[in-house]
Amino acid sequence: MEGDSTAETAARVAAGATAVGWRRGAGFAGVAIGVVAAGAAVGVGLERLTVGRGVRRKARLELDAAGPFGTLRGTPGTAIADDGTELHYEVEDIQQQAPARRKRLFGRRTPAPVTVIFSHGYCLAQDSWHFQRAVLRGAVRAVFWDQRCHGRSARGRAQMEGVQVTIDQLGRDLKAVIDAAAPEGPLVLVGHSMGGMTMMALAAQYPELVRERVIGAAFVGTSSGKLSEVSFGLPVVGVNAVRRLLPGLLKALGWQAELVERGRRATADLFAGVIKRYSFGSKDVDPGVARFAERLIEATPIDVVAEFYPAFVEHDKAEALPVFDELPVLVLAGDKDLITPMEHSEAIAEVLPGASLVIVEEGGHLVMLEHPEEVNGHLIDLLAKAVGTDTPRAASGGGGNGRRRSARG
């Protein structure tokens, strides 16, 4: 109903949707390493380590059949990257019959025309924004896109010719999506993990575009650089071994993609607990949400995992961050994120002193799936500021600058 709360809206959308088919496969060689590299996978839980495989398989099938996630679709479109790669995006337009929802989200004043562009993280897809898409649907114009080699976007043409993926390339991809899906009007950019890095690359290469059209930005669980120093919660000996061996191992796995994919399927259950550790910070994650995130990682081929990893090691876009200065900016992270630790978000906020820094307690790397109500609330505050309106929380100072702890409510 139009008067639902944010949680009720998300729950209603979730309850009424149907699941889609997903490609299976997750294992130590492909997933556990890929998760340590960028952390975008989960499992249903540690209990799967001690329950029979047949029972686990039945539970997964039941969750897939009833799971609502990944079913929200918009008007599809295709952007062409500078190397010819086809990038899939979907547009959610404002629904004229939903004034009550817009009033609830943005207050009395009607928000100015704006397009919110969501960029997802490594080994994920646009569907990882499910809860944010559900609550904003019809209230604002939004664009969700799949980064190259992910989701419904094509394999990078340059990558098929052996060219290494770079964060700069992803920034140019975002520019292509903007040109195709939102060629004019104000923009709010929202990015998670790799998606936030993509926004930084856009700012580094097209600073005038950001200055002229971007009116707000949200960096969720991301980093401006120094990812090679992340410990992933491992002891010194373990993390040193990972740093030394991982690049070569991933490259070798990419050459044997078909064999590794079979191995991922065969060993999916064994490492579910490890995978979950690198995705969520709380112990009571909804099994349906956990399974949804697991399906996302299963859909990412090992050769894609391999060819993207070096880009994160080389990523350094701290110098691009000041382009976002003086804009309404949200920097949000989970306090238990092992992939892009909250210290990386704090470093971003230091460069952008006017930004609102939010640390979500009991939040992991996939904080937008784990604590959607909190993330949604802060995004709505950001949008209200960007379009010149006030929400009750923003008006009371909840959207102010500085560090804030956001406890799960």
Side-chain angles (χ1 to χ4, degrees), residues 2 94-103 137-139:
E2 294 293 346
I94 293 176
Q95 297 174 5
Q96 297 304 319
Q97 67 271 29
R101 173 178 289 190
R102 289 195 297 277
K103 182 178 179 180
R137 205 172 203 196

Side-chain angles (χ1 to χ4, degrees), residues 3-293:
D4 290 347
S5 67
T6 301
E8 291 169 339
T9 300
R12 179 171 50 80
V13 172
T18 56
V20 295
W22 295 82
R23 204 157 50 82
R24 299 209 176 278
F28 181 71
V31 174
I33 292 174
V35 168
V36 170
V42 298
V44 170
L46 288 169
E47 67 275 8
R48 290 171 57 185
L49 299 175
T50 57
V51 179
R53 174 169 293 187
V55 174
R56 291 193 299 268
R57 182 175 181 275
K58 182 178 180 181
R60 286 199 304 273
L61 290 174
E62 289 177 352
L63 284 171
D64 287 349
F69 310 108
T71 61
L72 301 180
R73 300 266 67 88
T75 302
T78 301
I80 307 299
D82 60 355
D83 67 347
T85 301
E86 295 185 351
L87 305 170
H88 177 81
Y89 66 84
E90 296 177 11
V91 178
E92 298 274 6
D93 280 310
I94 293 176
Q95 297 174 5
Q96 297 304 319
Q97 67 271 29
R101 173 178 289 190
R102 289 195 297 277
K103 182 178 179 180
R104 186 179 70 249
L105 294 180
F106 300 110
R108 301 177 190 177
R109 291 156 56 185
T110 301
V114 61
T115 299
V116 187
I117 300 184
F118 288 82
S119 301
H120 67 78
Y122 176 46
C123 295
L124 297 171
Q126 63 173 272
D127 292 336
S128 62
W129 296 110
H130 174 83
F131 289 111
Q132 293 68 48
R133 189 170 191 163
V135 77
L136 292 175
R137 205 172 203 196
V140 298
R141 186 176 191 269
V143 174
F144 300 84
W145 69 292
D146 294 323
Q147 302 232 36
R148 63 174 54 218
C149 309
H150 292 71
R152 294 170 173 81
S153 286
R155 186 70 181 274
R157 287 193 180 183
Q159 284 64 67
M160 290 189 290
E161 298 173 358
V163 177
Q164 179 178 304
V165 176
T166 65
I167 300 298
D168 284 337
Q169 176 64 69
L170 303 183
R172 294 194 294 275
D173 289 352
L174 176 54
K175 173 62 161 56
V177 171
I178 291 172
D179 289 345
E184 58 185 24
L187 305 171
V188 173
L189 304 180
V190 182
H192 168 248
S193 193
M194 181 176 74
M197 302 174 203
T198 300
M199 290 162 50
M200 298 174 204
L202 176 78
Q205 297 171 93
Y206 306 99
E208 291 307 313
L209 170 65
V210 175
R211 293 189 183 104
E212 293 174 3
R213 296 189 55 197
V214 175
I215 62 172
F219 297 96
V220 180
T222 189
S223 171
S224 60
K226 298 184 178 180
L227 286 170
S228 61
E229 300 176 6
V230 175
S231 70
F232 306 111
L234 298 172
V236 175
V237 174
V239 74
N240 287 342
V242 167
R243 290 171 181 163
R244 185 174 64 255
L245 299 175
L246 189 57
L249 181 55
L250 281 173
K251 188 174 182 179
L253 291 172
W255 290 340
Q256 301 292 330
E258 184 176 347
L259 178 63
V260 173
E261 292 298 335
R262 290 201 297 268
R264 291 170 76 181
R265 289 190 291 272
T267 59
D269 292 316
L270 183 58
F271 297 95
V274 175
I275 294 168
K276 182 177 180 180
R277 167 176 163 78
Y278 283 99
S279 299
F280 298 123
S282 53
K283 297 179 181 179
D284 59 346
V285 178
D286 184 328
V289 171
R291 176 57 187 158
F292 171 53

Side-chain angles (χ1 to χ4, degrees), residues 368-381:
M368 69 285 189
L369 288 173
E370 185 176 17
H371 300 300
E373 184 75 7
E374 294 173 58
V375 174
N376 290 349
H378 291 297
L379 280 178
I380 290 168
D381 282 353

